[in-house]
Amino acid sequence: MRSLFTIGLIASWYASNIGVLLLNKFLLSNYGFKYPIFLTLCHMMACSLLSYIAIEWLKIAPMQRVKSRLQMMKISALGFIFCLSVVGGNISLRYLPVSFNQAVGATTPFFTAVFAVVMTSKREGWITYVTLVPVVAGVIIASGGEPLFHLFGFMMCIGATAARALKSVLQGLLLSSEGEKLNAMNLLMYMAPIAVLALFPAALYMEKGVVGITIALARDDWKFLIYLLFNSALAYFVNLANFLVTKHTSPLTLQVLGNAKGAVAVVISILIFKNPVSITGMLGYSLTVAGVILYTEAKKRSM
């Protein structure tokens, strides 16, 4: 029974992760809703509300209170970086196919290793750094072979990937003491409203008229409202599924699943959106995934 529960959790994790990615792409590119900042704002509002409900009412995780102004400032810094990573990823989906977006996103270990050295002086064994060579080389090859390459989209995707890595390193630094450590669900509950405060004025200023356009689209096509609400809720369930899979398996299992998830998302996105792919691009992506798997193994052995 327990194994069936775990399999169900993993299936939910895959479905929510790949689902939100494909739905983001559909809304921002195929549907023509070209407002990635506002879309991210909707995600963060859903995360704010649903994470509070899950912790306060459903007791999915114990409530952890912020104990000082300094701790809140640290959480705010993480929330801002978290916000930048999600916005950057959503902007990139306007210009890049999901397959290439996932190839670039797979380079997260490279940026994590760089930030760890720069910010904490923590060095890994030489074999760990060697495994990062195919990670970076694969993306360079994939970039050269990508038929729908877009420089601005690529820069946004790189920025989002770097911000994601920066958040993970900073989280270990800023919330390192036992009194300040927060589990993933509580951290999301505090970070999401901070992201909302940052995104709301940004959306109004940079995506002028977006609120009126959204209301008009919802009136003209009720399916758009369903897409937007479901997409926003799914953005929260990605984080919930991450937390539950880690809780009932291990962080390493999540890493392994993440490596496979990227490949599955690429195949499904190509089947749905029918974006052209080249042999060079697929070879590059395969090299990156192989590098990530080797990196995971090297990290595991060095522990």
Side-chain angles (χ1 to χ4, degrees):
M1 193 70 184
R2 183 174 173 79
S3 59
L4 279 175
F5 176 72
T6 306
I7 290 167
L9 271 182
I10 291 170
S12 300
W13 183 84
Y14 265 93
S16 59
N17 269 272
I18 296 172
V20 77
L21 184 68
L22 297 178
L23 201 44
N24 283 348
K25 177 63 179 174
F26 171 74
L27 285 170
L28 292 167
S29 190
N30 295 60
Y31 192 88
F33 185 72
K34 299 175 180 178
Y35 304 102
I37 299 175
F38 185 79
L39 182 64
T40 309
L41 174 62
C42 293
H43 290 180
M44 292 302 110
M45 286 193 291
C47 286
S48 302
L49 176 64
L50 295 175
S51 58
Y52 181 79
I53 291 171
I55 293 171
E56 183 65 26
W57 295 354
L58 302 180
K59 309 295 183 186
I60 283 176
M63 174 72 79
Q64 294 173 291
R65 305 288 180 186
V66 175
K67 296 176 181 176
S68 67
R69 184 179 294 180
L70 179 61
Q71 187 186 10
M72 193 66 230
M73 287 173 66
K74 291 176 179 180
I75 293 168
S76 299
L78 290 172
F80 185 69
I81 295 166
F82 172 62
C83 167
L84 290 178
S85 71
V86 179
V87 169
N90 284 342
I91 291 174
S92 74
L93 284 171
R94 265 197 68 188
Y95 302 98
L96 299 176
V98 172
S99 51
F100 187 55
N101 173 281
Q102 289 295 285
V104 177
T107 60
T108 302
F110 168 76
F111 289 103
T112 303
V114 170
F115 286 130
V117 170
V118 172
M119 299 173 71
T120 69
S121 299
K122 181 186 175 184
R123 298 187 181 277
E124 305 286 352
W126 66 271
I127 193 72
T128 304
Y129 293 116
V130 169
T131 62
L132 292 172
V133 174
V135 172
V136 178
V139 168
I140 294 170
I141 293 168
S143 301
E146 175 53 53
L148 300 176
F149 181 83
H150 190 285
L151 182 59
F152 179 70
F154 176 69
M155 296 297 287
M156 285 292 101
C157 201
I158 286 285
T161 306
R164 197 158 50 242
L166 177 61
K167 177 190 163 285
S168 68
V169 174
L170 265 181
Q171 190 173 325
L173 273 175
L174 297 180
L175 303 177
S176 56
S177 69
E178 284 303 317
E180 289 187 331
K181 279 183 181 175
L182 297 172
N183 64 46
M185 297 312 296
N186 275 271
L187 186 59
L188 178 67
M189 183 180 70
Y190 290 117
M191 287 194 308
I194 292 163
V196 169
L197 291 175
L199 288 167
F200 189 70
L204 292 180
Y205 179 73
M206 299 175 73
E207 299 176 338
K208 295 190 185 302
V210 66
V211 176
I213 291 166
T214 304
I215 292 169
L217 280 171
R219 281 176 179 164
D220 293 342
D221 183 4
W222 62 270
K223 286 186 291 185
F224 167 74
L225 185 61
I226 300 297
Y227 293 146
L228 190 61
L229 291 173
F230 180 65
N231 180 241
S232 300
L234 206 54
Y236 167 72
F237 283 109
V238 166
N239 293 280
L240 178 61
N242 279 357
F243 174 73
L244 292 175
V245 169
T246 306
K247 182 180 176 181
H248 291 278
T249 56
S250 69
L252 184 62
T253 302
L254 196 67
Q255 269 191 322
V256 174
L257 290 171
N259 296 338
K261 183 264 295 180
V264 174
V266 166
V267 172
I268 293 174
S269 72
I270 291 170
L271 292 173
I272 291 174
F273 298 115
K274 300 187 179 355
N275 56 282
V277 290
S278 67
I279 294 174
T280 306
M282 292 311 293
L283 283 174
Y285 178 63
S286 301
L287 184 60
T288 293
V289 171
V292 171
I293 292 168
L294 290 172
Y295 172 81
T296 304
E297 282 298 310
K299 285 277 287 181
K300 186 169 67 173
R301 291 181 183 184
S302 66
M303 286 178 181

